[in-house]
Amino acid sequence: MEVIRQKVAVPGAPERPEDFRIRQLRARDMLRGDLEGPELEQYVEERVLTTTLDKAVRWAQSNALFPLTFGLACCAIEMMSIVGGRVDVARFGFEAFRASPRQADMIILSGRVSIKMAPIVRRIYDQMLEPKFAIAMGACSSSMGIFNNYAIVPADKFMPVDVHVPGCPPRPEALMHGILKLRKMIQADPDLGWRARYEATGTEEIVDGA
Amino acid sequence: MSATEERTLDVVSPGAADQLDRYEPEHELLTINFGPHHPATHGVLRLMITLEGEVVRDCKPIIGYVHTGIEKTAEDKSYWKAIPAVERMDYLAYYFNAYAFCGAVEALLDLEIPKRAQYLRVAHLELNRIKSHLVWLGTSALDLGAVSMFWYCFREREQVLDLFEMSSGQRMHTRYIQVGGVAEDIPPGWMERCRAFTALMRKRADEYGALLNRNEIVLQRLRNVCIVPKERLLELGVTGPLLRAAGVPWDLRKAHPYCSYDEFDFKIPVGTVGDNYDRYAVRLAEIYESCSIIDQALDGLERLDDGHIADDRKVVLPPRHELATSMEALIHHFKLVTEGYRVPPGEVYFPIESPRGELGCFVRSDGSAKPARVHMRDPSFVNLQALPDMVQGTYIADLIATLAMLDPVLGGIDR
Amino acid sequence: MPDATGLELIAQELRDADDEAVLETLHFRGRSTLIVEPERIGWVLERLRGKGFDFLASVHGVDYYPEEPRLGVHYELLDMENVDRLTVKLRVHTDVAKVPSVTPQWPTADHQEREVYDMFGVVFEGHPDLRRILMPEDYEGFPQRRDFPVGGEPVLFTYDDAHGTDYTQ
């Protein structure tokens, strides 16, 4: 059997060692302003990452979510443990839980929402500024959980929810998975989904003079 | 949002009118709404505080923001299925909720629990007590400003939850304590891991003590702050570490032992002054005692082997391997899962010592397969009545520290 | 717990002092219960405080539907010196659900009586601040009564959505 050695042509990489030198000289020329016209365009296409402004903004938004401290019941303890060392939400940059809804952009509804608390949750959600996202953590906030009774309201009844994380309570890894799914959703396009269906903008509460 | 309006003491409730005599009218009093969404209240607790400058003159807690109607839900489910509902009341002490309910039902059924099951229960209850105190310590230190304590305590908490997951499959709300004993026996390797944990926990509790015990900030904020005399605490019905911090050595595990606690040798930490620092020190010392109880329980488990759940097939599910061979086992299984067992009519109040105080479960049975009334006398619900007394005349910062030392768990308060 | 004879002695003492106070005694599974006349509850608790039961552990309500009188209020007393527990029970009808409040003498009953009022509708006369504690203040109805529906939403299964709930057709 014959062994044939063949160099695999990687696009953009120099095929021969001499090519590398050529590219080096080209780069020096571009920096000096000596490359012109089509040569310059080709150079830029090969090297510089182009993207739309939207995508860049979404990338920034998804990687800089500030969750709101909104612990209601048992799920809040598991939400606190994602801040802990084992499932470390600081790996992704989301460890700065803000207490004020004006400064947060993600509300994690961790726990059961009772009828006394529901208007308050809605008010806090309104006070958050766009773009804002909501995660319903646990079975009770998504759908009343095991307490199908007079005192509990599922979150979807009064506020739009982006991601539902099931569990009673969901493991911290599950919540992390939910948050990362939200991050992917934001990177894709957050305007799809309920925002387009309900044309839900302008839900902020602005206090005069504040 | 907090509505800060400057006005004299408004009539917040009918009984507040007579408080007008206590304050001179020329001082302006500010009524602030604190919560229910607030980073420092432990859960959704709402406080209406009346302030004179920064000094708290009056404090009214308003609760009910996480009221779930668990007691009503439990009436709708058979006894076996009510255990997960009842577990979710005080969400840091779920083994205690389940045990109070199961203990009450076992008292109604007059059921004998095997010793091994009792020791398993004790081991898990004390692990849960350690875990509850760890969460308390982490969040309280966070309130005081010692932010890194939060991470240390939650690191230990993960170890405890690993043990829970190993024995029952779930981290929280494990449904491990069942009527008649425990759901499953512990897997091999659990005991070694548990021993390793208690050895580690003692060292870590030493570290926490070294960090906080003589810390100047902790001393300044907690020493001689918010003292309430023990007679007043007894009047208000306060139990648990709050009462023990004031000097009353009342612990149901020692006074009225249940679940073979009388076979264990442990001490009860009791405070002297009754200030916030004593409340902190009592709970920290309880962690050591719980470690010792767990070690003794593990020693006992090595020689006990009379089953992890009672034998009475009318109440307890038969083991699964019997379902293939025995017809009665199949019938029992079917009846128990569909209808559930019937409990003779009667009423029982079963109190135990939870990490926050006396947790009593009242179960009324009317002879059917569903409880007719389940009520939890939750310790936080009653302990919260002591808050206005504690914070009279202190600063807001002391209010925050006292709320942390009170250890309220809103799930238990609101049920 | 005071055993059966101890319970009878206590009941006898109370009956000697006031004929109509104690209606019945009950000893079940090692626990003692006194059933008293609703109007005399304050007096009974004070007498029991004199006998050493100086800690009121719990005040809670029960709905005995369909037995009349329907609403019951239980007071769990604890004697810390002798480690004794005693339950005092009273029952009222729904239409005259008025019970004298014990909050002035036992401050621990404050929130607990409010909860009984909120959940069952028993009005405690003399309570300093009787309003709803767990439900919103303007809620109507007393949720933990047995004839109050559990509530909640019907679960809409996919089959019902498509075909309607009558599966026999």
Side-chain angles (χ1 to χ4, degrees), chain B residues 21-187:
Chain B
D21 296 336
R22 274 200 267 151
Y23 313 114
E24 296 95 338
E26 57 263 18
H27 287 230
E28 264 189 53
L29 294 166
L30 179 68
T31 305
I32 276 193
N33 175 50
F34 196 95
H37 169 247
H38 194 281
T41 58
H42 291 242
V44 283
L45 174 66
R46 183 170 168 208
L47 298 171
M48 298 284 279
I49 321 180
T50 308
L51 297 171
E52 183 193 332
E54 275 239 2
V55 179
V56 176
R57 289 292 173 211
D58 189 24
C59 165
K60 276 198 170 9
I62 302 174
I63 57 183
Y65 289 97
V66 74
H67 173 66
T68 328
I70 299 185
E71 300 180 346
K72 181 100 184 170
T73 306
E75 284 175 23
D76 209 26
K77 306 198 184 300
S78 59
Y79 285 91
W80 187 40
K81 304 193 178 163
I83 297 177
V86 165
E87 249 180 354
R88 282 152 170 81
M89 282 189 190
D90 177 349
Y91 43 78
L92 284 181
Y94 28 98
Y95 279 94
F96 291 92
N97 295 343
Y99 178 53
F101 179 70
C102 289
V105 175
E106 284 154 10
L108 279 172
L109 286 168
D110 219 3
L111 194 60
E112 272 280 328
I113 319 292
K115 261 289 181 240
R116 187 179 170 86
Q118 292 186 20
Y119 273 55
L120 280 172
R121 280 178 172 182
V122 166
H124 283 85
L125 286 173
E126 292 305 315
L127 276 172
N128 200 349
R129 189 185 303 268
I130 294 181
K131 185 206 97 144
S132 171
H133 284 325
L134 280 171
V135 174
W136 160 81
L137 187 59
T139 49
S140 300
L142 190 67
D143 283 348
L144 289 178
V147 178
S148 40
M149 281 301 297
F150 181 79
W151 273 267
Y152 297 147
C153 292
F154 272 66
R155 176 189 57 186
E156 258 63 71
R157 176 180 171 261
E158 293 288 333
Q159 301 252 9
V160 177
L161 290 178
D162 277 346
L163 284 169
F164 287 162
E165 199 179 351
M166 207 170 158
S167 67
S168 64
Q170 261 265 67
R171 286 160 55 107
M172 287 177 71
H173 303 322
T174 57
R175 195 197 41 54
Y176 184 65
I177 294 190
Q178 297 282 325
V179 172
V182 293
E184 268 180 14
D185 211 337
I186 45 177

Side-chain angles (χ1 to χ4, degrees), chain C residues 9-27:
Chain C
L9 286 172
I10 297 178
Q12 194 54 47
E13 243 186 85
L14 290 170
R15 282 197 182 106
D16 288 337
D18 181 346
D19 249 349
E20 299 152 24
V22 176
L23 298 175
E24 234 187 289
T25 62
L26 203 64
H27 192 82

Side-chain angles (χ1 to χ4, degrees), chain A residues 166-182:
Chain A
C168 191
R171 289 185 64 107
E173 291 92 338
L175 178 61
M176 211 57 243
H177 183 70
I179 296 180
L180 291 177
K181 246 199 156 66
L182 178 68

Side-chain angles (χ1 to χ4, degrees), chain A residues 115-116 144 148-151 154 157, chain C residues 133-135 139 143 150-153:
Chain A
I115 53 177
K116 210 165 168 182
M144 294 201 284
N148 191 2
N149 59 23
Y150 61 90
K157 277 218 150 168
Chain C
I133 191 168
L134 294 176
M135 302 306 291
Y139 193 79
V150 177
E153 309 189 333

Side-chain angles (χ1 to χ4, degrees), chain B residues 72 75, chain C residues 63 65 70-71 94 97 119-122 142-149:
Chain B
K72 181 100 184 170
E75 284 175 23
Chain C
D63 187 355
Y65 185 83
R70 244 178 85 178
L71 299 175
T94 349
M119 294 284 125
F120 292 96
V122 177
F142 300 108
Q144 239 145 41
R145 290 196 178 175
R146 297 276 268 168
D147 51 357
F148 191 91

